[in-house]
Every structure is written in C-alpha cells, then in structure tokens.
Amino acid sequence: MSDKLDTEELSAYFALVVAGDLVQHALSSQLAEHGLTPVKFSILASLSDAPDGVRMRELASALVHSRSGLTYQVAQLERQGLVSRSAADDDDRGVVARITADGTTLLQAAFPGHLELVRAKFLDLLPRGGAEKLRRLLEPVVDGLRADKAT
Amino acid sequence: MSDKLDTEELSAYFALVVAGDLVQHALSSQLAEHGLTPVKFSILASLSDAPDGVRMRELASALVHSRSGLTYQVAQLERQGLVSRSAADDDDRGVVARITADGTTLLQAAFPGHLELVRAKFLDLLPRGGAEKLRRLLEPVVDGLRADKAT
DNA sequence: TATTGTTATACTCTATAACTATA
DNA sequence: TATAGTTATAGAGTATAACAATA
C-alpha cells in the first residue's frame, strides 16, 4: 500500500481516525456505568450549555449523521426522563429539546469520572501544549466537513 | 458544562473525536461504491502490506475492539473472496489471514479515489506541515491506548 | 491453566424512504 | 416547493459468554 501520498500524510489520517476511535472507546465503559453512551453524553452536554434548549435540526447537524438517528437517541433520552421535547416558539414545524433536572443530575454524576478519564487516556499522553496545538489543527477540519454536510 | 478542565483541553478532546468521525464518514460513501466499509478497507490495507499474512490476534488488537468482531468482518471478506484464512505454521491454534488476488484487485481499484478524498476532506484542510504535526501529537495517544488494550 | 479463534445470542445503532405538518 | 421531524423498516455491526482446540 505505497502510493501517491507520502507516508507522513497517510499516517496522519490513520492516526486521526484510530486515535479518535480509541479515545472514545476508552471512555465508553465509564459512561455506560451511568447508562450513557458517547452519543447520548454529547447530546446531554450540548443541552446543558443551552438553558433555552436546542432545535432538533441543530443537534442533528452537530452531533449525528442523520435526522432519524437523532430522533432515535433523543426519544430514548426522553423515555429515561433526561430530556424533554416541546414545540418551537417561532416555527411550528420545529421541536426544541431541553435537558431535565434529572438529566442535569445524571450529567453531573457522570462528569467527574469522565474528565478524569479524558485526562488519563488522552491529555496526559500529549506533550505540554499539545492539546491547544491539536485543537488548532483540527478546527478547520471540523468546520470544513460540517460545512460539507450542510450542502 | 464548565468544570475542572479548561476549555482548551476539553475542546481538543471533542475536536479529536468529532474530526475522526467526520473524516471517516466523508470517506465511507466512496468505499461503499466498491462494496467496502472503513473497517474492511483497513483490514485489506493491512493485509496488503503483509505478503505472508497476519495472525487474527494481531489484526484484532490493531483494528477492532473484540476478537469476535474481527472474525465477523474477516468471515465476510472471505465469503467475498477477498481474503483467505489458513492455519498458522508455528501455532496450531492460530489462524493467518491473507489478501487474495481479487482482494488486491479491489483494493487497487478503490485506492485512487480514496486517496483523492483523503486529500480533499482532510489533508487540504490542514495548514502546511500540519499532517506531520498531527501525526506526532497523536502517536503517543495511539500507542498508549493500544498498550492499554493489551492489558 | 492460559490463549486462539469461532459461534450463538441478543442487542444497539444506522440509514433510507415514506409520511405529516408547516413555511 | 422546501423544510422539520417522525416513523417504519430492514440491515449491519457489536460485545459477551460459552465453547473447542492447542500451548
């Protein structure tokens, strides 16, 4: 498998995909202890930053790859009492999801252990200043590919 | 969701997971045109670098999170005639997977388009020299978490 | 006893397309 | 006509534990 891309560039691509996968997998057991998955955790975390709730459309484009996938996840969170859905004020087609008090409680219970593992399995493995460098490098990738999705 | 980790560090972790996911998703449609998934592509690519084949155990620890998951994927590739399995020379418990001529043909057919998309969806979004910086930053993360898995 | 690999099982997740309602 | 969200469906992937064979 040697070809037009030099090894450095291909290696970066493999490293990105593999590292993301390994980090997420390393964190998933701890989340599972609280009945959460990485996707559900990211939904709750996003909602906890938005007291007024978030439109389903926005959550979908930010966190998953299909609208139906988000409906599935949020429906489960709602059944568990962690999230509520209600009609949007300005657009009668719209639905706004909000985190509930129970959802906040669960998130607060899961968060310290999560942070601990983010440190142990990721941040502590980076050189000093590495987190910031990494974020800066990946920012345009995330922005570029999210823009793609909108199209 | 503001807490013990400063924003920079948490952002790096989210950026890593999201970027890896977005890049893989951006490439998966092109692979699907050749009947492949990202996991199957990575298995074929690994085998194409190893003329003598690779032990199932090694493939599993490098590419997936469970032995049974690898068996599932390789069984499918074998059914498609892209991979063959045979007993290991040195260990009668062991199984060695090898890519077939058809597998090589398919990989060569899929590779150019794959590389093109790796460039368009990832490398071209990085600053000059970014690929190497990224790889260096992520190397210890990948190595550290792979070592974890062995434990 | 430990390891290799497979299997059976049961479950979760995903994406597509069809649908309703509203803009 | 286009968009927001849901639903139905059908398929793919996953992990666990139990198992057989070998070290």
Side-chain angles (χ1 to χ4, degrees), chain A residues 124-142:
Chain A
D124 289 351
L125 301 175
L126 293 173
R128 262 155 287 290
E132 182 178 350
K133 283 180 195 145
L134 199 59
R135 189 193 57 72
R136 284 209 206 128
L137 286 169
L138 293 178
E139 195 170 65
V141 175
V142 172

Side-chain angles (χ1 to χ4, degrees), chain A residues 58-113:
Chain A
E58 287 178 51
L59 278 179
S61 68
L63 302 178
V64 299
H65 298 297
S66 68
R67 282 168 293 159
S68 67
L70 180 68
T71 297
Y72 173 80
Q73 295 291 344
V74 171
Q76 284 196 327
L77 290 168
E78 194 174 44
R79 243 174 271 133
Q80 294 174 272
L82 306 173
V83 160
S84 69
R85 277 182 287 187
S86 50
D89 285 342
D90 52 327
D91 186 337
D92 280 351
R93 297 170 303 183
V95 170
V96 170
R98 286 183 185 79
I99 193 167
T100 64
D102 281 1
T104 300
T105 300
L106 178 65
L107 196 56
Q108 284 170 352
F111 208 55

Side-chain angles (χ1 to χ4, degrees), chain A:
Chain A
M1 222 63 268
S2 58
D3 214 326
K4 292 132 201 161
L5 288 181
D6 71 40
T7 306
E8 197 72 69
E9 290 180 310
L10 255 193
S11 298
Y13 146 63
F14 284 127
L16 173 67
V17 172
V18 171
D21 182 55
L22 285 171
V23 168
Q24 192 157 50
H25 193 258
L27 299 174
S28 60
S29 299
Q30 184 263 335
L31 292 177
E33 291 171 13
H34 297 272
L36 294 176
T37 60
V39 173
K40 289 186 175 70
F41 179 81
S42 72
I43 293 173
L44 289 182
S46 292
L47 294 180
S48 86
D49 283 330
D52 294 338
V54 181
R55 283 286 295 270
M56 293 293 281
R57 169 179 46 74
E58 287 178 51
L59 278 179
S61 68
L63 302 178
V64 299
H65 298 297
S66 68
R67 282 168 293 159
S68 67
L70 180 68
T71 297
Y72 173 80
Q73 295 291 344
V74 171
Q76 284 196 327
L77 290 168
E78 194 174 44
R79 243 174 271 133
Q80 294 174 272
L82 306 173
V83 160
S84 69
R85 277 182 287 187
S86 50
D89 285 342
D90 52 327
D91 186 337
D92 280 351
R93 297 170 303 183
V95 170
V96 170
R98 286 183 185 79
I99 193 167
T100 64
D102 281 1
T104 300
T105 300
L106 178 65
L107 196 56
Q108 284 170 352
F111 208 55
H114 194 68
L115 294 187
E116 200 179 312
L117 276 183
V118 170
R119 278 204 198 284
K121 302 298 186 180
F122 173 53
L123 296 172
D124 289 351
L125 301 175
L126 293 173
R128 262 155 287 290
E132 182 178 350
K133 283 180 195 145
L134 199 59
R135 189 193 57 72
R136 284 209 206 128
L137 286 169
L138 293 178
E139 195 170 65
V141 175
V142 172
D143 292 348
L145 296 184
R146 284 225 175 107
D148 264 22
K149 270 170 73 170
T151 306

Side-chain angles (χ1 to χ4, degrees), chain B residues 51-91:
Chain B
D52 295 338
V54 181
R55 283 287 295 270
M56 293 293 281
R57 169 179 47 73
E58 287 179 50
L59 278 179
S61 67
L63 303 178
V64 298
H65 297 298
S66 68
R67 282 169 292 158
S68 67
L70 180 70
T71 297
Y72 173 80
Q73 295 291 344
V74 170
Q76 284 196 326
L77 290 169
E78 193 174 44
R79 243 174 271 134
Q80 295 175 273
L82 306 173
V83 160
S84 70
R85 276 182 288 187
S86 50
D89 286 343
D90 52 328
D91 185 338

Side-chain angles (χ1 to χ4, degrees), chain B residues 99-111:
Chain B
I99 193 168
T100 64
D102 280 1
T104 301
T105 299
L106 179 65
L107 195 55
Q108 284 170 351
F111 208 56

